[in-house]
Amino acid sequence: MPADIAVMDEFDSNSQSTTHDLSEIQSFYNGTTVFLTGATGFVGNLILEKLIRTCSGVKNIYVLIREKKGKTTEERFKELFNDPVFELMKKEQPNYLEKVTAVIGDCCLPNLGIQEQYMDIMKDEVNIVIHSAATIRFDEHLRKAVNINIIALQDMLKMSQEMRDLKAFVHISTAYSNCAGRKVVDEVFYKPPISGDNLFQLMNSLDDDYITRITPSMLKEWPNTYAMTKAIAEGEIAAHGKGLPIGVVRPSMIVATDNEPIPGWINNFYGPTGVCAATGIGLMRCMCADPDQTADIVPGDFVSNAVVASAWDIHNQW
């Protein structure tokens, strides 16, 4: 078995769901192959679980997983499904491993760190791309944020341009990507402050310490490197995604699930979750806030459902 990709047994066409009694979205996914990045993250977990559990006719799901903290891709892939969020899926789809293929890669590396021969396999097979991978740290060093949030997307777009039968490309951005200087953000592409290529060249010409010093002046009205690099990433889609059936999902602050597959499930302490946890255990006694404002938060399962449905909608509008 090749080291870079775990090749599962050939899919049994008899196991595909029939179109009888399926929703339009389930029928759309029937017999398709999906390439999902960010599957080990919070939203990625929910998307993967939702696809396997409710779209049983999916032929295969390629998940990009990098080596991390001394663990190989294979080890992380095995551990991925130990989380309680996958328990309901395992009961309803006990043969789920037949539908998932782990691909060694890293969004910090050129061409996502995927070897060429396996890239060619996916170009021939993949019908739907869901790009969920991102660094969502607000204080991420600008160089790393550029590599993961912008350059990796460029590589995804290049790869998708060569896919033989691409039906939809879904990019997960953020509701705050275009917040700089705006009170209202419409569902349009805005001109980015700088192109991804120019920013990448700038990063390559400077050392990390100097980048750290100039980052505040580069951010200007953007609150952090996350929001700014997501804005530039959307600009890359507008510039280099021409000819692709592509759409952008912009969720706000994502919190625990509302209902499925487990009510109240979350696996991180980011954003509002960290505030609630710290307050609940007594670590945080006070904070600066405006009680008249409404927090823009959205349950994780709302986001995963929207992403899964968006691929179907993109295909229908294309």
Side-chain angles (χ1 to χ4, degrees):
M1 182 178 296
D4 293 77
I5 189 167
V7 180
M8 303 296 180
D9 292 336
E10 184 175 352
F11 181 76
D12 181 0
S13 60
N14 292 328
S15 67
Q16 291 189 41
S17 299
T18 64
T19 56
H20 182 63
D21 293 334
L22 294 180
S23 71
E24 290 185 42
I25 295 175
Q26 288 173 312
S27 297
F28 165 69
Y29 279 95
N30 224 17
T32 61
T33 295
V34 180
F35 179 35
L36 171 65
T37 68
T40 58
F42 174 55
V43 174
N45 276 188
L46 292 171
I47 294 171
L48 181 60
E49 191 277 340
K50 182 73 174 185
L51 283 174
I52 297 173
R53 178 169 55 85
T54 65
C55 300
S56 59
V58 167
K59 183 177 181 180
N60 192 15
I61 303 173
Y62 288 110
V63 292
L64 187 72
I65 301 179
R66 64 187 174 97
E67 297 179 352
K68 184 179 180 181
K69 296 180 180 178
K71 293 183 179 180
T72 66
T73 292
E74 290 79 8
E75 290 172 331
R76 295 190 68 205
F77 178 68
K78 292 177 181 178
E79 293 177 355
L80 173 63
F81 295 102
N82 292 335
D83 195 289
V85 74
F86 293 104
E87 289 305 311
L88 178 61
M89 179 208 75
K90 290 178 181 178
K91 292 179 181 178
E92 296 186 3
Q93 304 293 338
N95 298 323
Y96 65 95
L97 284 177
E98 296 177 0
K99 301 289 185 74
V100 190
T101 301
V103 179
I104 294 177
D106 190 333
C107 287
C108 286
L109 299 177
N111 296 318
L112 307 171
I114 304 173
Q115 287 196 4
E116 185 175 353
Q117 61 266 40
Y118 304 117
M119 185 79 79
D120 290 339
I121 292 173
M122 289 191 289
K123 288 176 183 177
D124 285 339
E125 297 181 3
V126 170
N127 310 114
I128 301 164
V129 174
I130 300 177
H131 186 39
S132 175
T135 173
I136 60 175
R137 291 175 58 98
F138 291 168
D139 60 348
E140 189 70 83
H141 191 276
L142 186 56
R143 185 192 304 280
K144 187 173 182 179
V146 168
N147 286 335
I148 297 176
N149 292 347
I150 300 174
I151 305 305
L153 173 62
Q154 288 183 342
D155 291 337
M156 292 286 291
L157 292 172
K158 293 175 185 175
M159 177 183 179
S160 298
Q161 291 282 7
E162 299 179 26
M163 288 180 176
R164 184 172 55 84
D165 186 24
L166 182 66
K167 299 180 184 296
F169 184 123
V170 184
H171 172 67
I172 303 178
S173 185
T174 171
Y176 308 103
S177 58
N178 298 286
C179 65
R182 298 184 181 90
K183 292 185 178 180
V184 176
V185 177
D186 294 315
E187 292 185 355
V188 298
F189 285 108
Y190 291 92
K191 183 179 179 180
I194 185 175
S195 73
D197 289 336
N198 288 343
L199 182 57
F200 183 63
Q201 291 175 6
L202 179 62
M203 294 296 99
N204 285 342
S205 66
L206 304 173
D207 61 40
D208 286 349
D209 289 340
Y210 191 77
I211 292 173
T212 299
R213 291 199 299 271
I214 67 172
T215 293
S217 61
M218 292 187 65
L219 289 178
K220 296 181 180 178
E221 295 182 271
W222 268 272
N224 47 59
T225 57
Y226 168 64
M228 187 182 78
T229 53
K230 280 295 192 178
I232 298 170
E234 289 190 12
E236 294 302 294
I237 292 175
H240 303 296
K242 292 181 175 64
L244 291 176
I246 191 167
V248 177
V249 176
R250 292 174 177 161
S252 56
M253 292 181 286
I254 307 174
V255 294
T257 56
D258 173 63
N259 182 51
E260 61 171 334
I262 305 172
W265 177 81
I266 194 167
N267 63 358
N268 63 72
F269 290 100
Y270 297 141
T273 303
V275 174
C276 293
T279 303
I281 62 177
L283 287 177
M284 180 180 290
R285 302 300 180 89
C286 62
M287 65 179 292
C288 293
D290 185 345
D292 296 324
Q293 297 299 316
T294 301
D296 293 319
I297 60 176
V298 58
D301 50 337
F302 284 28
V303 177
S304 58
N305 287 344
V307 169
V308 171
S310 291
W312 163 79
D313 187 53
I314 291 166
H315 176 67
N316 284 343
Q317 293 191 42
W318 180 246

